[in-house]
Amino acid sequence: MTINLKVKQEKRKGVSINDIQDGFFVLKDDHVRIVKMDVTNRNKIHLIDLKTFDVKTVSTKNELKNSFADWSQIKILSPKQVNLNIGFQWRE
């Protein structure tokens, strides 16, 4: 599976952890995760790894920040800032 994520526009200041909303992207190196806010329990935040489709659930934005070893390496991007293409290749 190929993931191609291109950043169309980066904000000057960048997006902080307090700005995270449903559908935002969290990037660290070549790992792209999408943020899915739980509609039944607003305190839960699901991170879906687009490479492995693993789901990690955290309770708060602070717990989300603490789940990464080095938060300074993380980029947070809104859906309007990126162009995402995911390609699947079937093999027998």
Side-chain angles (χ1 to χ4, degrees):
M1 180 175 71
T2 305
I3 297 175
N4 184 5
L5 185 128
K6 291 184 181 178
V7 178
K8 294 191 290 188
Q9 162 194 4
E10 277 199 60
K11 295 185 177 183
R12 213 176 316 152
K13 179 187 142 229
V15 180
S16 75
I17 190 144
N18 294 326
D19 299 324
I20 287 182
Q21 297 177 21
D22 190 43
F24 274 45
F25 296 93
V26 177
L27 284 75
K28 182 176 182 192
D29 302 323
D30 63 344
H31 279 105
V32 180
R33 294 171 181 90
I34 190 163
V35 175
K36 179 66 181 150
M37 303 301 244
D38 195 325
V39 293
T40 58
N41 184 349
R42 294 226 174 235
N43 293 332
K44 288 189 178 181
I45 302 168
H46 305 289
L47 290 174
I48 304 164
D49 189 324
L50 294 181
K51 194 172 200 177
T52 62
F53 293 107
D54 287 335
V55 178
K56 180 176 186 159
T57 303
V58 294
S59 298
T60 64
K61 291 180 181 178
N62 198 30
E63 187 179 334
L64 169 65
K65 187 174 182 177
N66 293 335
S67 67
F68 292 95
D70 186 8
W71 186 255
S72 64
Q73 299 295 317
I74 301 296
K75 278 188 177 183
I76 302 170
L77 300 170
S78 74
K80 293 180 181 178
Q81 290 177 271
V82 298
N83 182 14
L84 176 67
N85 295 307
I86 300 176
F88 293 91
Q89 183 178 23
W90 297 103
R91 295 184 185 172
E92 291 186 25

